[in-house]
């Protein structure tokens, strides 16, 4: 069989399979030969508390995903395949007559979840959402939006950071409750209060940075992006993503009635990096037919920048870079904008309390460092560790294109 394989330029297993299928003498003999002792079939079936079942087989008998599912009894319509792999390799041995025999082996792994209970990994839901958004984007009545001819020379920045949508906190344990419904309502309420406070300043643009731990977890296992920290989550990951998406869609739709242009820098946090990458794509597809009225910056760099006239604003979540390094990072990454602006600011979150300072970066000027409050309260872990007392809230700044803020507002959540 080895010589035949060499002449044909194929693997020995391929020759074996062909001979077996056509019923050739060698193939039949090989098929009839017992598998070597070290080629014993093994199967392992495990089911977790959520009903997600993992089937792993190794040997000569089970060769396909469907065979593995049937073997484990999870092949009906009540199950959905989350992921699967099939591997094939060959093992050499000798038969009873001492002749060399090549035995093909298969390793099959399949993970299935009960259909309809929300336990399927939400990456599948995200992929479906992206597909739907690519095929369809809502049509907006531009006549009901803010005038596209407005030119006020001013921009409104809304910093509603660290909402941790999906987080669960019980007031009896943490002092304040937080869940999916509260987060959704609170984000919209705070947005309206900031718009009301800034209503006396007509603006031509609005910046709404999103991310910064917009979501509380990033995996179906209820862990943050690194998968090392398990957190308290209110409900299923699929539902959290759907509600979070609608929270931002409602917010952006509202802002379009105030200003003709809305800019949305997507700043992934340490809790939700992958989810915000997905959500950035969804939002871009959602607003793709508005002719640039909504600008979603979901570019790969985690740090985002907004240039407005003589102002340069940088956005960084704050978990990975020491804050004292940010001014020179801005000067390096946006050298041209740095040279052409007179007012520069970094906006960070992550630590859930407010802090401001002015950093002299170089002879060319200063950079204001603003660490923003979180919209959410402390969860059980932070409460236990003593990270309490910082008021929840959000802030807004009205920027003048000629340089610098003209008004600032802050609200409690």
């Amino acid at each position: 069989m080895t010589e035949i394989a060499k002449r044909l330029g194929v693997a020995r297993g391929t020759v074996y399979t062909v001979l077996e299928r056509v019923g050739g003498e060698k193939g039949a003999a090989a098929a009839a030969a017992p598998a070597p002792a070290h080629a014993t079939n093994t199967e392992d079936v495990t089911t977790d508390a959520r009903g997600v079942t993992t089937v792993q087989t190794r040997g000569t008998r089970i060769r396909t995903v469907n065979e593995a599912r049937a073997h484990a009894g999870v092949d009906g319509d009540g199950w959905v395949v989350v992921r699967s792999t099939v591997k094939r390799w060959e093992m050499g041995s000798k038969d009873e007559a001492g002749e060399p025999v090549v035995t093909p082996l298969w390793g099959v792994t399949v993970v299935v979840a009960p259909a309809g209970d929300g336990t399927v990994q939400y990456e599948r839901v995200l992929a479906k959402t992206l597909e739907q958004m690519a095929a369809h984007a809502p049509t907006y009545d531009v006549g009901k939006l803010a005038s596209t001819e407005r030119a006020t020379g001013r921009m409104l920045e809304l910093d509603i950071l660290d909402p941790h949508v999906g987080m669960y906190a019980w007031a009896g344990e943490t002092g304040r409750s937080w869940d999916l419904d509260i987060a959704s309502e609170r984000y919209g309420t705070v947005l309206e209060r900031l718009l009301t406070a800034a209503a006396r300043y007509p603006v031509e643009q609005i910046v709404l940075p999103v991310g910064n731990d917009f979501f509380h977890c990033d995996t179906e296992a209820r862990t943050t992006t690194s998968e090392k920290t398990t957190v308290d989550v209110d409900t299923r990951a699929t539902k959290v993503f759907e509600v979070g998406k609608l929270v931002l869609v409602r917010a952006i739709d509202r802002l379009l009635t105030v200003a003709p242009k809305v800019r949305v820098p997507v700043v992934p946090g340490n809790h939700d990096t992958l989810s915000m990458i997905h959500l950035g794509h969804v939002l871009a597809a959602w607003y793709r037919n508005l002719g640039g009225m909504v600008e979603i910056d979901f570019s790969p760099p985690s740090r985002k920048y907004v240039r407005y006239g003589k102002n340069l604003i940088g956005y960084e979540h704050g978990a990975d870079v020491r804050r004292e390094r940010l001014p020179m990072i801005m000067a390096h990454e946006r050298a041209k904008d740095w040279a052409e602006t007179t007012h520069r600011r970094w906006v960070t979150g992550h630590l859930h309390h407010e802090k401001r300072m002015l950093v002299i970066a170089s002879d060319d000027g200063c950079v204001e460092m603003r660490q923003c409050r979180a919209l959410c309260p402390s969860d059980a872990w932070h409460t236990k560790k003593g990270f309490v007392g910082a008021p929840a809230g959000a802030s807004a700044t009205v920027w003048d294109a000629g340089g610098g803020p003209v008004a600032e507002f802050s609200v409690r959540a």
Side-chain angles (χ1 to χ4, degrees), residues 121-370:
Q121 289 188 342
Y122 68 83
E123 283 82 357
R124 294 166 56 89
V125 177
L126 302 184
K128 183 178 180 180
T129 301
L130 291 174
E131 181 181 350
Q132 293 173 341
M133 291 297 98
H136 166 74
T139 300
Y140 285 81
D141 184 354
V142 178
K144 295 182 179 180
L145 304 182
S147 172
T148 57
E149 299 179 356
R150 176 182 293 182
T152 66
R154 287 177 176 170
M155 177 185 77
L156 176 63
E157 176 194 5
L158 300 170
D159 294 320
I160 310 175
L161 308 188
D162 287 282
H164 288 260
V165 174
M167 184 185 94
Y168 179 77
W170 173 50
E173 184 177 22
T174 63
R176 289 185 61 191
S177 293
W178 195 258
D179 57 27
L180 193 60
D181 292 338
I182 295 174
S184 176
E185 181 275 331
R186 200 64 50 82
Y187 194 99
T189 299
V190 165
L191 180 79
E192 286 297 332
R193 291 172 62 192
L194 289 174
L195 290 177
T196 299
R200 73 184 72 176
Y201 299 96
V203 294
E204 60 187 7
Q205 294 185 25
I206 297 178
V207 176
L208 178 70
V210 302
N212 283 293
D213 290 346
F214 180 80
F215 291 113
H216 191 49
C217 74
D218 209 22
T219 72
E220 199 195 45
R222 301 185 178 187
T223 67
T224 58
T225 303
S226 66
E227 298 186 354
K228 294 180 180 180
T229 304
T230 302
V231 293
D232 295 327
V233 180
D234 180 31
T235 185
R236 298 296 189 186
T238 49
K239 183 177 180 180
V240 171
F241 185 86
E242 178 68 17
V243 171
K245 176 189 73 177
L246 294 178
V247 166
L248 291 183
V249 167
R250 288 194 294 266
I252 296 171
D253 285 358
R254 174 68 175 94
L255 299 183
L256 283 171
T257 67
V258 177
K261 185 176 182 65
V262 178
R263 302 167 73 175
V264 183
V266 179
V267 187
N270 59 305
H271 277 243
D272 63 356
T273 300
L274 295 178
S275 297
M276 289 314 303
I277 291 173
H278 293 308
L279 187 53
H281 282 271
V282 170
L283 293 175
W286 189 284
Y287 292 102
R288 66 191 179 97
N289 289 336
L290 277 181
M293 294 180 68
V294 177
E295 179 184 292
I296 309 294
D297 182 3
F298 59 99
S299 55
S302 60
R303 289 182 292 277
K304 301 298 192 295
Y305 294 91
V306 169
R307 167 80 184 273
Y308 181 68
K310 291 289 187 179
N311 307 291
L312 178 60
I313 310 170
Y315 297 97
E316 157 68 28
H317 180 55
D320 298 316
V321 180
R322 296 197 308 272
R323 284 163 174 76
E324 60 267 23
R325 296 187 59 226
L326 288 174
M328 293 312 299
I329 289 176
M330 174 184 282
H332 174 75
E333 292 183 336
R334 288 294 185 272
K336 184 175 184 295
D337 291 330
W338 178 277
E340 295 175 350
T341 55
T342 56
H343 289 76
R344 310 169 189 108
R345 173 188 286 179
W346 271 107
V347 176
T348 64
H350 182 56
L351 295 181
H352 291 208
H353 62 271
E354 187 176 41
K355 185 177 181 179
R356 300 176 65 171
M357 69 175 110
L358 195 64
V359 177
I360 301 176
S362 69
D363 292 338
D364 296 327
C366 301
V367 179
E368 180 191 357
M369 308 295 294
R370 169 170 286 190

Side-chain angles (χ1 to χ4, degrees), residues 36-57:
H38 51 291
T40 303
N41 293 286
T42 61
E43 297 90 22
D44 181 42
V45 181
T46 59
T47 302
D48 66 16
R50 300 167 298 167
V52 177
T53 298
T54 301
V55 183
Q56 295 178 307
T57 67

